[in-house]
Amino acid sequence: MSHNKIHMITGKYPNLRLRRSRKYAWSRKLIQENTLNYSDLILPIFLIEGKNKKESIKSMPNVFRYSIDKLNSVVGKAVRKGIPMIALFPHINQKFKDQNGSEALNENNLVCRGIKYIKKRFKNKIGIMCDVALDPYTSHGHDGLLVNKKILNDETIEILTKQAVLQAKMGCDVIAPSDMMDGRIGKIRSALDKNNFDDVQILSYAVKYSSSFYGPFRDAVGSKKLLKGDKKTYQMDYRNSDESLREVSLDIKEGADMIMVKPGMPYLDVIKKVKDKFKIPVFAYQVSGEYSLIMNGINQKLIDKTSIKESLISFKRAGASSIITYFADQIDL
Ligand code: PBG
């Protein structure tokens, strides 16, 4: 029977009312299409040198830099909540930074010590992911080697490959190249395999846009003031979306296990597009600028804190398997 006929018989219109299933909380729960759990989240942690330090970051309210001895409680809390993985980012002392980012290959650098500390205490109760890129270590703040105002591709990969193998040797579970050099995934995969790290995973930041939403992060790792120029010759142009499919398809062929799209909320269309096309695990990075905007909005009482959950579920709706977010250890789910 058509809608019109039912209407004529009962006198009620409309006959289909979507609000019926929204009437009670229990009913709304039954028709939920997406949910958010701690198991969907990855917690980024900023590291600093020193002892017993918890340093606030001006541009990121409620986010801190921790000295390694503080990791026991920070990581312990993540384990108790059921967060499956943390991501380590170092704030390197200026005196260790140089033109070639050589500190990245120091077996005793902040990240290496952080990985060892966590692995020793938590074994495989939580995964450790590390960025592969030179920006925390270079005096110019770029992700690769800078020579005559150019970021060298192949020469940078040589170093990144060593950085990845070193991190794996320390116990890093997931290698996450975030540098956007061409061809680095293949080189890193074969170097890991050659060194018997064939079970170490690669999460490629395959789709990383040149974005102003990274500002607070660069402040957090101390590269903001150093950065010369921008990263447009290696990170993607935010006007493009088909290009993201070319990036992802190359990285899958080169051996990426998982793919990251970054930033997050302004790129939900890209997450969906990549997921629909390749059916692989796609991770979303809700980056520092997105975090600070929401946090400032909450602090200024412009929005309430349920906005956090709303923002995170948008990634699930778009098809993300997992989300890196600075809210991971702050939200109650
Ligand atoms: C470095 C890196 C950046 C972020 C993660 N890894 C910054 C950049 O590329 O300049 C940004 C993360 C954030 O903003 O939260 N390769």
Side-chain angles (χ1 to χ4, degrees), residues 138-156:
T138 51
S139 47
H140 44 74
H142 278 288
D143 295 30
L145 295 175
L146 178 68
V147 177
N148 295 332
K149 298 192 176 154
K150 274 195 187 143
I151 301 295
L152 304 181
N153 195 85
D154 303 8
E155 293 81 351
T156 297

Side-chain angles (χ1 to χ4, degrees), residues 189-256:
R189 183 70 272 163
S190 64
L192 288 173
D193 293 352
K194 220 177 278 163
N195 287 277
N196 287 325
F197 296 120
D198 38 87
D199 55 354
V200 169
Q201 305 175 50
I202 296 180
L203 165 57
S204 172
Y205 288 80
V207 188
K208 180 170 179 179
Y209 286 91
S210 177
S211 166
S212 26
F213 287 94
Y214 306 147
F217 173 96
R218 291 179 189 165
D219 178 31
V221 300
S223 68
K224 192 171 189 151
K225 285 192 205 107
L226 302 175
L227 184 62
K228 292 206 173 79
D230 56 47
K231 301 191 177 183
K232 286 183 183 157
T233 67
Y234 46 108
Q235 299 180 345
M236 275 181 60
D237 184 336
Y238 54 72
R239 291 161 189 83
N240 300 349
S241 101
D242 285 345
E243 191 185 349
S244 68
L245 300 180
R246 302 182 77 192
E247 284 285 2
V248 171
S249 112
L250 283 166
D251 285 6
I252 293 174
K253 273 188 216 124
E254 290 176 31

Side-chain angles (χ1 to χ4, degrees), residues 43 47 72 108-109 124 135 142 149 173 199-200 222 225 235 244 253 273 287 318:
L43 173 68
L47 299 176
N72 206 26
N108 239 334
N109 71 24
N124 291 320
D135 57 311
H142 278 288
K149 298 192 176 154
D173 303 291
D199 55 354
V200 169
K225 285 192 205 107
Q235 299 180 345
S244 68
K253 273 188 216 124
K273 196 164 178 166
V287 300

Side-chain angles (χ1 to χ4, degrees), residues 140-192:
H140 44 74
H142 278 288
D143 295 30
L145 295 175
L146 178 68
V147 177
N148 295 332
K149 298 192 176 154
K150 274 195 187 143
I151 301 295
L152 304 181
N153 195 85
D154 303 8
E155 293 81 351
T156 297
I157 295 182
E158 300 274 319
I159 303 176
L160 298 180
T161 303
K162 291 184 186 143
Q163 185 185 19
V165 171
L166 176 61
Q167 289 172 349
K169 201 168 131 195
M170 296 296 141
C172 176
D173 303 291
V174 176
I175 298 291
S178 74
D179 55 289
M180 288 298 278
M181 298 300 119
D182 288 324
R184 87 275 208 220
I185 300 299
K187 292 276 185 192
I188 289 174
R189 183 70 272 163
S190 64
L192 288 173

Side-chain angles (χ1 to χ4, degrees), residues 117-133:
Y117 180 98
I118 297 165
K119 268 295 154 202
K120 195 168 157 198
R121 279 160 187 82
F122 297 95
K123 309 280 186 299
N124 291 320
K125 284 200 190 117
I126 193 159
I128 303 178
M129 152 185 165
C130 292
D131 244 38
V132 172

